[in-house]
Amino acid sequence: MLLVEDAPRLREQLADQLVAFGHTVTAVADGPAGLSSLGTEAFDIVVLDWMLPTLDGLPLLREVRARGLRIPVLMLTALGQTIDKVEVLDAGADDYVVKPCDPLELNARIKALLRARSARSAGEQPADTIEVGNIVISPAGARAWRKGQSLGLSQIEFRMLLELARLAGDTVTRAMLVERVWGRDLVTTSNVIEAHIRHFRVKLCRYGDDPIETVRGAGYSLRR
């Protein structure tokens, strides 16, 4: 993995922790070095700090996506403000962790993104799937299709779609999504949820009408 973190002590600490978890880590101190590394080496995932000298994490992330790189990106942010989280997700991040972060949680998030990447590379649609209309979801493979076309969802988008599919036709409240997608111990807001819904609605609508109904004041429902 590529770790981009400017604080020397934290960079060394995170690299050591991630190596201890079995990852191979290339650690750099700023955005230009991160882009240079991405141009010369193949990585499975990027762990990217929000606040960096010379080139911040957010424009770096946008540049990564502009280059067509679909590598999973997990953002580290110490800001903790709602608008920051929404901007991170809008820019194309797959997940984010607020610093200071628990090493076990960080590793779990990284492993989840790597599993999803591996599943996307596997190719064929698994037999163990959930079908809602013309949407097919593989919980084990962390993949989803509509009319046979891969949707290319981020990890969090996939989790949200999976929860909606499990209760297709019923209302899934925002509180339920927060608990089941982010977990009880994580704090998020309706703005963050709406950002994700907006993103995967666009992906779903490439292959048909919008299947997600917004239930005003409550949550969302996936039409059967």
Side-chain angles (χ1 to χ4, degrees), residues 7-99:
R9 184 174 179 179
L10 179 58
R11 182 173 64 250
E12 182 179 354
Q13 180 184 53
L14 287 173
D16 287 347
Q17 289 169 345
L18 292 169
V19 168
F21 284 123
H23 303 289
T24 301
V25 180
T26 296
V28 299
D30 56 38
L35 284 176
S36 176
S37 295
L38 286 168
T40 57
E41 298 181 56
F43 296 96
D44 295 311
I45 190 168
V46 178
V47 178
L48 175 62
D49 189 26
W50 169 287
M51 300 294 289
L52 293 169
T54 310
L55 180 65
D56 258 355
L58 200 61
L60 190 155
L61 172 59
R62 292 191 176 111
E63 176 61 24
V64 167
R65 295 306 183 222
R67 293 183 181 187
L69 298 175
R70 297 191 62 190
I71 182 171
V73 176
L74 186 149
M75 292 285 287
L76 300 175
T77 173
L79 300 180
Q81 298 175 353
T82 299
I83 186 63
D84 296 331
K85 296 170 186 176
V86 173
E87 284 183 331
V88 165
L89 301 172
D90 279 344
D94 294 274
D95 204 352
Y96 66 87
V97 174
V98 177
K99 297 188 294 185

Side-chain angles (χ1 to χ4, degrees), residues 115-116 119-120 122-132 135-146 151 153 155 158-159 161-162 165-166:
R115 283 196 301 270
R120 284 195 297 268
E124 295 300 320
Q125 179 175 313
D128 181 17
T129 58
I130 297 172
E131 295 189 31
V132 181
I135 298 171
V136 179
I137 302 167
S138 167
R143 298 186 68 197
W145 302 261
R146 190 174 193 190
L151 294 175
L153 301 178
Q155 182 70 16
F158 175 81
R159 292 179 200 160
L161 179 60
L162 180 59
R166 284 171 170 162

